[in-house]
């Protein structure tokens, strides 16, 4: 069974500061990993994904994440926070492609950006 | 190209009433999913449909039924709504062979009084 743990349900940073959102996973097979962002009153939007190619993955809006197998981690970072980054972020893991595989989501981290 | 659409956007029900949440996609994806989102709980899978004609239970299926009407449409039915079903419901779709990357609709906010 796969699972995802997001450390910190709420992270607060100042505008211009580094953003670091933590995600650890467990999976019995090589995982595929995703970060989604949810802006208020909207659905989830894919930020980036790891699918066993490069371990450093770049996504939209200046975000990136690094897959570290030894640490079973997939932390999300952005060098300089912007007010528009305020949202809830979800890490998710899949154990494969195909027609009937599922995503397992973490409980989410709410990012607040202070002026 | 609308992507994934959900109707209605908002709904208020009384305990015991029934309703159906509709989801439609024009992305030609094979798999479709229903989730509920509650504060502090993340997203929990209710039901999913790997392909037209098949449905399977997810993590929290009790109190719900689904119908995969055709490739485009996947509906979620509450037969007798309970206050515990107050939540935001999301439909998602996924094409085969893409590591299960999922595309989400805008959600339905349901309140059961």
């Amino acid at each position: 069974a796969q699972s995802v743990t997001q450390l910190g349900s709420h992270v607060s940073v100042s505008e211009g500061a580094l953003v670091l959102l933590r995600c650890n996973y467990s999976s019995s097979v090589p995982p595929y990993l995703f970060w989604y962002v949810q802006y208020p009153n909207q659905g989830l939007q894919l930020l980036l994904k790891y699918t066993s190619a490069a371990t450093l993955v770049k996504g939209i809006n200046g975000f990136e994440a690094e897959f570290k197998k030894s640490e079973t981690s997939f932390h999300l970072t952005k060098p300089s926070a912007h007010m528009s980054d305020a949202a809830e972020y979800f890490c998710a893991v899949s154990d494969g492609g195909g027609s009937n595989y599922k995503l397992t989501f973490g409980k989410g981290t709410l990012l607040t950006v202070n002026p | 190209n609308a992507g994934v659409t959900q109707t209605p956007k908002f709904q208020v029900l009384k305990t015991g009433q029934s309703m159906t949440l509709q989801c439609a996609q024009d992305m030609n994806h094979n798999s479709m999913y229903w989730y509920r989102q509650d504060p502090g709980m993340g997203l929990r899978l209710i039901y999913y449909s790997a392909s037209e004609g098949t449905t399977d239970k997810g993590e929290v299926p009790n109190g719900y039924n689904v119908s995969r009407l055709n490739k485009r449409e996947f509906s979620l039915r509450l037969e007798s709504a309970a206050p515990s079903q107050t939540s935001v419901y999301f439909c998602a779709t996924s094409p085969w062979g893409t590591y299960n990357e999922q595309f989400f609709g805008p959600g339905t906010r349901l309140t059961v009084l």
Side-chain angles (χ1 to χ4, degrees), chain A residues 10-58:
Chain A
H10 188 189
V11 170
S12 183
V13 300
S14 299
E15 193 173 18
L18 171 72
V19 175
L20 171 61
L21 304 182
R22 299 178 188 275
C23 173
N24 289 89
Y25 70 90
S26 69
S27 177
S28 58
V29 297
Y32 301 113
L33 295 157
F34 305 82
W35 275 100
Y36 284 85
V37 59
Q38 183 181 31
Y39 299 104
N41 300 314
Q42 295 187 24
L44 277 70
Q45 177 184 353
L46 183 69
L47 262 183
L48 51 80
K49 61 186 176 187
Y50 166 76
T51 57
S52 75
T55 56
L56 183 62
V57 180
K58 295 186 184 301

Side-chain angles (χ1 to χ4, degrees), chain A residues 36 38 46 49 99 101-102, chain B residues 31 37 96 100-102:
Chain A
Y36 284 85
Q38 183 181 31
L46 183 69
K49 61 186 176 187
S99 64
Y101 287 93
K102 302 183 289 293
Chain B
S31 300
Q37 183 180 28
W96 288 356
N100 206 30
E101 176 181 344
Q102 295 184 11

Side-chain angles (χ1 to χ4, degrees), chain B residues 1-7 9 22-29 31-34 72 74 90-94 102-107:
Chain B
N1 193 348
V4 182
T5 58
Q6 293 183 237
T7 55
K9 288 188 177 3
Q22 306 285 357
C23 175
Q25 53 111 351
D26 61 3
M27 307 173 80
N28 200 35
H29 288 173
S31 300
M32 299 185 73
Y33 306 80
W34 276 107
R72 291 186 63 250
F74 189 36
F90 288 100
C91 177
T93 70
S94 178
Q102 295 184 11
F103 298 80
F104 285 79

